[in-house]
Amino acid sequence: MGRTLVYPKAAYNTAHRHNECATYDLREIHTIINTTKILHVSFNSTDPAAGPYPAILPMIGQMGSFTHPSADLNEPLECYIHGYVSMRMASLARINDGLPVTIAASKVDGLVLSLTPYSHNYIYRSAVLFGHAQVVTDAEEKLFAMQLITDSVMSGRWEGSRTPPNGAELGATAILRVKIAGGSGKISEAGADDKKEDLESEQVTSRVWSGIAPVWEVIGQPIPAKTNAVKILPEYMDKFVQGENEISEKHATELAKAR
């Protein structure tokens, strides 16, 4: 069995509330990031006109390593984020020696329905990364990141589409590489935590349903565009849809049944 690498604890990434759910394990944190469709990236603008509020953007991103493409999720990785060339975040990353950013991802696996609203909860996974974003300027690294992100949308899609991107597409696309300084996550798999007096009250238990409603993402059957000329759905797409749905449903239902 290999080593379990963890992010070192620091003031900015140490969990305090419900720290029994906290994880600093690289594999667990990176897996949450890589399986979340939308990441929320926050940063502070140096422009007074932007106002006093931190900016937060929904973005597509993926953990990876250009220098070590075969690196495992249990190893130190960068987070590559896809954006538009003129977006404010990219402009700030070019001016500064790395723009400080925070990246957040969350997934809900179940609704915990207890006897009282006070004890309702979610079964969930969340991760937060802290690091500095820089614009990728190397052409090979940019293509690496674009393929990494494209295949995170649907495995095999890079090869299944018209590639490589042309000059105009490459010029309009900005890829940010976030060098990770630290991170942490929370994984809550607890079931209903009902009070003794409620559990012993037949009036309550006979009236109120309690348990867990599993939650998982479902990818629907692909619907062809009006301009689509491919008559049969490519095998890689069919396998991806079925495989992702089976994995998501199994994960959520097994968690619910185990509580």
Side-chain angles (χ1 to χ4, degrees):
M1 183 178 293
R3 294 182 302 159
T4 298
L5 299 182
V6 298
Y7 283 113
K9 291 184 181 181
Y12 60 83
N13 75 322
T14 299
H16 297 285
R17 180 168 171 76
H18 290 301
N19 57 10
E20 73 279 3
C21 299
T23 179
Y24 302 90
D25 182 284
L26 266 64
R27 182 184 300 279
E28 291 182 333
I29 293 170
H30 294 169
T31 298
I32 294 169
I33 295 291
N34 277 7
T35 56
T36 301
K37 301 298 184 186
I38 294 291
L39 305 177
H40 288 90
V41 184
S42 60
F43 60 95
N44 288 312
S45 174
T46 56
D47 183 2
Y53 308 107
I56 182 165
L57 300 176
M59 306 186 78
I60 301 174
Q62 196 77 178
M63 306 300 299
S65 173
F66 174 64
T67 55
H68 299 91
S70 61
D72 187 76
L73 288 175
N74 188 42
E75 299 179 55
L77 301 170
E78 284 85 41
C79 185
Y80 287 95
I81 298 173
H82 177 277
Y84 189 65
V85 67
S86 62
M87 67 178 179
R88 179 172 42 149
M89 187 176 167
S91 300
L92 290 171
R94 290 188 186 95
I95 296 172
N96 300 301
D97 186 21
L99 174 68
V101 298
T102 301
I103 303 168
S106 301
K107 300 182 75 69
V108 175
D109 295 313
L111 313 179
V112 180
L113 308 173
S114 304
L115 294 174
T116 171
Y118 178 79
S119 299
H120 278 52
N121 204 347
Y122 284 151
I123 294 176
Y124 69 90
R125 293 166 283 159
S126 65
V128 180
L129 294 174
F130 305 87
H132 291 77
Q134 292 183 316
V135 177
V136 173
T137 56
D138 180 81
E140 289 188 18
E141 184 178 6
K142 189 172 185 178
L143 282 173
F144 163 82
M146 292 176 72
Q147 180 172 356
L148 181 73
I149 294 169
T150 301
D151 283 340
S152 77
V153 175
M154 175 175 282
S155 180
R157 189 58 184 170
W158 181 265
E159 292 296 333
S161 58
R162 190 265 294 156
T163 52
N166 60 38
E169 292 166 339
L170 286 171
T173 302
I175 298 292
L176 297 175
R177 181 204 320 106
V178 181
K179 184 176 181 181
I180 306 302
S184 60
K186 280 190 176 180
I187 300 176
S188 176
E189 299 178 349
D193 183 23
D194 288 307
K195 304 298 181 183
K196 182 180 178 182
E197 56 266 31
D198 287 324
L199 291 170
E200 293 178 347
S201 171
E202 185 178 350
Q203 182 180 5
V204 173
T205 58
S206 63
R207 186 181 69 84
V208 181
W209 188 96
S210 63
I212 296 173
V215 176
W216 65 90
E217 293 177 329
V218 175
I219 302 174
Q221 184 67 15
I223 299 172
K226 293 179 180 179
T227 55
N228 175 65
V230 179
K231 302 300 182 183
I232 300 175
L233 186 71
E235 184 179 5
Y236 77 91
M237 293 178 61
D238 189 49
K239 284 185 175 180
F240 174 81
V241 171
Q242 292 188 36
E244 288 294 299
N245 288 341
E246 288 174 3
I247 291 171
S248 297
E249 180 178 4
K250 181 180 179 182
H251 177 80
T253 53
E254 286 185 351
L255 280 176
K257 290 176 180 178
R259 304 285 74 79

